[in-house]
Amino acid sequence: MYKSNLRIAILLPHTLAYGGVKRFLEIGNEFVKLGHEWNIYTKSSNSLDWFDFLGSIKQKWTDILANDVLIIGDTTLFKYFDSWPKLKIMYVISTSPACGYIETYKKFLLINNPEFISIFCSTTTWDFYNNLNPANLKQHFLIPGGVNTSHFMPNLELRNPEPTIIFYSCLDMPRKHGEDIFNTIKDLGYKMITFSREEVSYNHPNLTKYINPNNLELPNIYNKAHIYIGMEDGAGWNNTGAEALSCGLNIISNGNGSSDFAINNETAIIIKDFTEIPSALEKLKDTTLSQKLSANGLEKIKEFSWQVIAEKLERIIKERI
């Protein structure tokens, strides 16, 4: 008999708009809609003014043991698994060596305990950590996603009249390669849009910057562009690529963190390195190809809505408590 009302505890290092935080807010909203409690515990005092969250944010942890499940994705918080007496879920959200992610994930993936399970956020993460312990394979689950398809939708009225490329920048995370994308496309004659948490150092007459936009503003920003370029390293799930595809943009990507939805010549143009960006842009001048990729992408991305991800996670949890 499944437990009808679940109480889920999630530990986060902060509630800022980076580091995989958005994933747990979006899934939380879906869990609340399903009739469950989604309680985020953090020792950070950051405000959550950039996202409309339906769950609870708790800075006091006195009631944490009243929850049924503990979910952690950030490896700096894994020490709290040790004292948790109930079902534990490790969310594998990165393939980056930053903060010791890789070695810590590998260590915990060896644990053989039915009360300790892992969720992989993308095929990128699943393939990266493919040396899983055969003794505990039933503890590992691939749930790729997601994106809020009812929030990120095409709005053709907002498209710039001139061909426009959008890309994400993050100065303190060079593996996002925002500046490298900029340097590759700046002299190709396109209008450019970048959005970031902080002011970026590069400028160009054709570049428009959006600094620290909130979640409500993001769909309108994506919809000003025609093409999204993502060349991330060490990715888990490429949120910005999924959101851009859900807004009907054409995608150029190296496939890192986006291989679930970015399928070469079907929903996206997949390239190996920056030198291939100009030729990929040339391909997208073919209107028939551009329209095909957009239409296919809009259909494909529906498979990875946060509602779908939440329902899969709910089923896994209910089978174990």
Side-chain angles (χ1 to χ4, degrees):
M1 186 71 177
Y2 289 159
K3 182 177 171 62
S4 57
N5 175 262
L6 299 170
R7 301 187 69 181
I8 313 294
I10 303 88
L11 302 193
L12 293 180
H14 56 77
T15 54
L16 298 173
Y18 68 96
V21 167
K22 192 174 189 178
R23 159 176 307 280
F24 298 105
L25 301 177
E26 293 277 16
I27 296 175
N29 280 356
E30 297 302 327
F31 260 71
V32 171
K33 293 174 188 176
L34 290 168
H36 307 302
E37 291 184 33
W38 190 267
N39 301 311
I40 290 178
Y41 294 82
T42 179
K43 294 185 177 179
S44 167
S45 58
N46 306 118
S47 64
L48 189 59
D49 55 1
W50 59 274
F51 189 90
D52 186 15
F53 179 53
L54 302 179
S56 300
I57 303 287
K58 298 174 180 277
Q59 292 174 330
K60 294 183 178 180
W61 296 26
T62 51
D63 66 344
I64 192 168
L65 285 174
N67 292 278
D68 304 303
V69 184
L70 177 65
I71 299 177
I72 309 176
D74 190 290
T75 58
T76 63
L77 299 171
F78 279 11
K79 60 186 178 182
Y80 294 101
F81 277 139
D82 293 342
S83 57
W84 185 256
K86 309 174 191 178
L87 182 64
K88 313 171 190 183
I89 298 179
M90 176 176 69
Y91 226 114
V92 183
I93 58 173
S94 178
T95 60
S96 170
C99 302
Y101 270 104
I102 295 174
E103 292 308 314
T104 306
Y105 279 137
K106 285 183 176 179
K107 174 185 173 183
F108 278 80
L109 286 168
L110 294 174
I111 295 174
N112 188 2
N113 179 352
E115 290 295 302
F116 186 91
I117 64 175
S118 57
I119 306 293
F120 291 79
C121 74
S122 66
T123 297
T124 294
T125 54
W126 179 268
D127 289 345
F128 186 85
Y129 300 100
N130 63 4
N131 58 337
L132 301 174
N133 180 3
N136 66 357
L137 282 178
K138 291 183 178 180
Q139 296 171 216
H140 306 306
F141 301 89
L142 171 61
I143 309 180
V147 63
N148 189 335
T149 53
S150 62
H151 182 61
F152 292 96
M153 297 186 295
N155 187 342
L156 299 183
E157 293 180 358
L158 295 178
R159 295 280 195 265
N160 286 344
E162 301 155 285
T164 303
I165 298 169
I166 190 169
F167 59 96
Y168 178 63
S169 297
C170 189
L171 290 181
D172 62 353
M173 297 178 74
R175 62 187 177 84
K176 303 287 186 181
H177 293 295
E179 188 166 5
D180 294 319
I181 295 171
F182 168 74
N183 287 329
T184 303
I185 66 175
K186 64 182 181 181
D187 297 322
L188 298 181
Y190 290 84
K191 293 292 186 181
M192 297 171 286
I193 295 173
T194 193
F195 60 102
S196 59
R197 299 200 313 269
E198 65 288 289
E199 178 64 54
V200 296
S201 58
Y202 38 90
N203 295 283
H204 192 279
N206 286 343
L207 177 66
T208 301
K209 304 176 186 179
Y210 292 91
I211 309 304
N212 201 28
N214 63 44
N215 199 53
L216 290 176
E217 297 169 320
L218 277 175
N220 290 345
I221 296 173
Y222 284 118
N223 273 300
K224 293 177 185 294
H226 304 84
I227 300 166
Y228 165 91
I229 300 179
M231 298 293 289
E232 185 173 352
D233 293 329
W237 172 261
N238 186 343
N239 274 330
T240 54
E243 290 165 356
L245 191 63
S246 191
C247 288
L249 276 64
N250 289 148
I251 305 296
I252 297 173
S253 172
N254 61 1
N256 200 300
S258 59
S259 61
D260 293 287
F261 58 84
I263 302 166
N264 194 34
N265 292 323
E266 291 294 328
T267 64
I269 302 292
I270 304 300
I271 60 178
K272 294 180 180 178
D273 56 47
F274 297 95
T275 63
E276 297 181 29
I277 289 177
S279 61
L281 290 169
E282 283 297 313
K283 285 184 180 180
L284 291 176
K285 290 179 180 179
D286 179 339
T287 304
T288 301
L289 175 63
S290 171
Q291 291 177 347
K292 182 190 89 167
L293 296 178
S294 178
N296 289 348
L298 286 170
E299 196 61 32
K300 183 66 176 177
I301 203 65
K302 293 175 184 177
E303 299 175 19
F304 307 106
S305 73
W306 291 118
Q307 179 182 353
V308 171
I309 276 65
E311 288 171 354
K312 290 179 179 179
L313 181 58
E314 179 195 41
R315 187 161 53 250
I316 289 169
I317 293 173
K318 282 189 170 183
E319 288 173 351
R320 283 158 179 79
I321 63 173

